[in-house]
Amino acid sequence: SSGINAEWPLRPGIKKMERLFTEFWKLNEPDLLISVTGGAKSFNVSHDICGSFQQGLLSAAKSTNAWLITGGQNCGVMKLVGDVIGRSIFTSKICTIGVGNWGKTWRREMLLNKNRIIETEEDLHPQAREPMVNYTLDAPEKGYAALDPNHTHHFLVDDGTAEKEGIEIEYRGELENLICSMFTKDGVSLPMVCIMIE
């Protein structure tokens, strides 16, 4: 999984974001954005309903060349999405982006690579890339959440407040709007579908 700690203003230039997605992450242009949101806690869903949702999501993502976007954590609906992506033979073809809260990320210190500081745009150049960090998944303490390992990319939002809830929500909405406006065809923005599971 590739990741970056998003500490820039909420309205980064479209061209810079487009370069991050296409040049650094080398993602193919999507035809649809599917935003999945809902409960972060474990919830009781019958095996049949869970299976139907996962199969439907996978089918929709594959048939529409969609990018998926969630909160990126290894719990609740985000884990449900990650699990289906992780089990699919089409995993490498489905871009799954998590937008999470840096302060609420379990073992976030593992994500810091003190040997690799990203300070300038040149530091993001594809030829300068190397594995950023290794992230070990284990059970988080109360109040924290681990990153889902099946998401292909993660944005971790940090506004300077330690462990404050919900700071990523506004950024995620803006990121979804930016993605939709980046990929326009014949003057029409990329369509987005929002799925809410509670």
Side-chain angles (χ1 to χ4, degrees):
S1 167
S2 299
I4 192 164
N5 185 13
E7 293 184 15
W8 53 72
L10 285 179
R11 298 180 188 273
I14 296 290
K15 288 299 173 193
K16 287 184 180 180
M17 293 301 292
E18 189 170 15
R19 289 187 63 207
L20 175 66
F21 289 125
T22 59
E23 290 180 33
F24 184 68
W25 284 347
K26 297 192 179 302
L27 301 177
N28 293 325
E29 185 173 327
D31 293 321
L32 178 69
L33 181 63
I34 301 175
S35 177
V36 184
T37 190
K41 297 179 180 170
S42 295
F43 48 90
N44 295 325
V45 178
S46 78
H47 183 71
D48 290 342
I49 291 173
C50 181
S52 294
F53 165 74
Q54 289 180 316
Q55 278 309 111
L57 180 64
L58 185 61
S59 176
K62 287 188 313 190
S63 66
T64 61
N65 185 37
W67 286 4
L68 302 175
I69 193 163
T70 78
Q73 297 173 337
N74 194 40
C75 58
V77 70
M78 300 163 284
K79 182 175 179 3
L80 196 65
V81 171
D83 286 350
V84 72
I85 297 302
R87 287 194 311 265
S88 171
I89 61 171
F90 298 98
T91 299
S92 63
K93 296 182 180 180
I94 301 174
C95 174
T96 308
I97 301 169
V99 179
N101 182 328
W102 172 256
K104 301 300 281 178
T105 299
W106 176 242
R107 302 247 189 251
R108 64 185 179 263
E109 66 280 355
M110 294 174 70
L111 300 172
L112 299 174
N113 182 343
K114 293 174 178 60
N115 298 321
R116 179 83 191 281
I117 305 297
I118 298 174
E119 294 178 341
T120 68
E121 194 171 317
E122 288 76 34
D123 294 331
L124 291 175
H125 196 272
Q127 281 76 26
R129 288 194 305 173
E130 62 185 54
M132 297 294 271
V133 294
N134 292 316
Y135 183 76
T136 305
L137 188 65
D138 61 0
E141 291 179 4
K142 186 176 180 176
Y144 293 92
L147 297 178
D148 183 83
N150 297 308
H151 283 64
T152 57
H153 302 81
H154 287 273
F155 281 92
L156 298 174
V157 181
D158 182 2
D159 70 350
T161 58
E163 303 170 15
K164 184 178 173 186
E165 296 278 349
I167 65 165
E168 73 283 2
I169 295 169
E170 183 178 352
Y171 184 84
R172 177 177 167 177
E174 296 224 5
L175 182 64
E176 290 168 345
N177 288 334
L178 285 171
I179 291 170
C180 289
S181 65
M182 280 173 28
F183 300 106
T184 59
K185 292 183 182 172
D186 300 322
V188 177
S189 294
L190 179 73
M192 181 174 79
V193 173
C194 183
I195 300 172
M196 172 72 171
I197 301 173
E198 195 58 55

